[in-house]
Amino acid sequence: MTLTPQDRKQLLQHPILALLPEQAQADLLSDTMCREYPVHALILRQDDRAERFFFVLEGKVKLFRISADGKEKVVEIIQAGNTFAEAVMFMQKQVYPVCAEALEPVRIAALPNKLMLNFLQDNPQTCLHLLGHLSIRLHQRLDELENLTLQNATQRFALYLVGQVKDRKKDHAELDLMLPKGLIAARLSIKPETLSRAMATLRDRGLIESHARHIRIPSVEKLLNTFTLEPQGVS
């Protein structure tokens, strides 16, 4: 499929492409493929040869790894307007380190690694933006690793909820869980029943109110402070 004018506009607004010269942008987009996948379709497999990176035009994509014992570990959920697999173009062994699956019907743009690398060599400003983008992603993964090793299940879920709050100017917040509870549990490396207990704990303490997927947080600060002070053994 070809990119629509709206697709092209969306791509060129992303920091990775925005600062490239117009001719470089045009050349890159001319070699960009638009692909559609139904829900649960596998977009790429772990250890596949990496020749392209991806921009999610519509839908959500789950990135996950398969462990040696065959278990699935959710690494990240990519929302529309974001890229994934772009760091692979800088790796000596250019294979995808994760699998990617469509969580809902998705449209993605697949951009060529080799051509992008050629343009980056001549555009240091774009390189700096890309480094900044990748640094943010790295810090997010480090924060998640710290949470998984130092926080118990209830703390992890509390921090996950706070991370979903878009407007941090107000102390109270309301949000709808965008992912199924089973997928949230996998993202937090806990069992679904453990997630249910964590939600019950937060409700019992008056830190959240919930109805189906709708969550109300009376005080974000109180939610954070409560679990910052607790030892790891409390769940």
Side-chain angles (χ1 to χ4, degrees):
M1 295 182 60
T2 58
L3 296 169
T4 68
Q6 181 59 33
D7 293 338
R8 298 171 69 90
K9 180 179 179 181
Q10 192 177 359
L11 278 164
L12 294 178
Q13 288 175 343
H14 194 279
I16 292 180
L17 303 181
L19 295 179
L20 288 174
E22 288 188 9
Q23 187 58 53
Q25 292 176 340
D27 291 345
L28 195 65
L29 292 183
S30 68
D31 196 16
T32 296
M33 302 177 181
C34 181
R35 300 172 178 172
E36 293 187 354
Y37 296 89
V39 61
H40 301 314
L42 196 62
I43 298 171
L44 57 88
R45 291 179 174 84
Q46 185 174 324
D47 295 327
D48 278 355
R49 180 174 174 80
E51 296 180 343
R52 293 179 178 269
F53 68 100
F54 307 94
F55 181 94
V56 181
L57 296 164
E58 297 177 10
K60 299 184 185 70
V61 174
K62 176 179 70 173
L63 304 184
F64 64 96
R65 286 181 61 84
I66 302 298
S67 62
D69 58 1
K71 293 182 180 180
E72 177 183 306
K73 174 65 180 80
V74 178
V75 175
E76 191 173 1
I77 306 298
I78 308 297
Q79 308 278 351
N82 293 302
T83 55
F84 65 95
E86 65 271 39
V88 183
M89 73 175 85
F90 301 105
M91 296 169 58
Q92 186 172 5
K93 185 179 180 181
Q94 294 191 0
V95 297
Y96 296 117
V98 297
C99 300
E101 177 187 320
L103 284 179
E104 54 192 39
V106 299
R107 292 177 63 248
I108 64 172
L111 297 93
N113 285 350
K114 186 175 181 180
L115 191 57
M116 185 67 189
L117 282 172
N118 290 339
F119 291 142
L120 288 175
Q121 291 176 355
D122 299 324
N123 294 274
Q125 193 64 35
T126 303
C127 287
L128 291 175
H129 273 267
L130 181 55
L131 283 172
H133 171 72
L134 295 177
S135 295
I136 291 173
R137 296 278 285 272
L138 176 60
H139 281 291
Q140 289 173 341
R141 300 290 80 75
L142 291 174
D143 287 342
E144 290 173 5
L145 179 61
E146 181 180 9
N147 291 338
L148 292 176
T149 47
L150 300 181
Q151 310 293 341
N152 62 46
T154 307
Q155 291 170 325
R156 294 179 203 174
F157 183 57
L159 291 172
Y160 175 83
L161 289 178
V162 173
Q164 303 304 300
V165 176
K166 295 181 179 179
D167 184 3
R168 295 293 296 274
K169 295 178 182 178
K170 299 178 181 178
D171 189 39
H172 65 276
E174 295 194 27
L175 56 96
D176 292 309
L177 297 176
M178 302 303 294
L179 302 175
K181 292 180 181 178
L183 189 53
I184 295 175
R187 186 77 179 85
L188 300 177
S189 294
I190 59 180
K191 297 179 179 179
E193 56 268 28
T194 304
L195 177 63
S196 296
R197 289 197 297 270
M199 291 185 69
T201 298
L202 295 179
R203 284 196 302 267
D204 293 344
R205 298 185 184 187
L207 295 171
I208 68 168
E209 301 169 10
S210 65
H211 179 70
R213 290 193 176 189
H214 187 73
I215 304 289
R216 180 178 181 274
I217 305 174
S219 172
V220 174
E221 183 178 2
K222 184 177 180 181
L223 180 60
L224 283 173
N225 289 342
T226 298
F227 291 101
T228 300
L229 300 175
E230 287 194 352
Q232 183 178 358
V234 180
S235 60

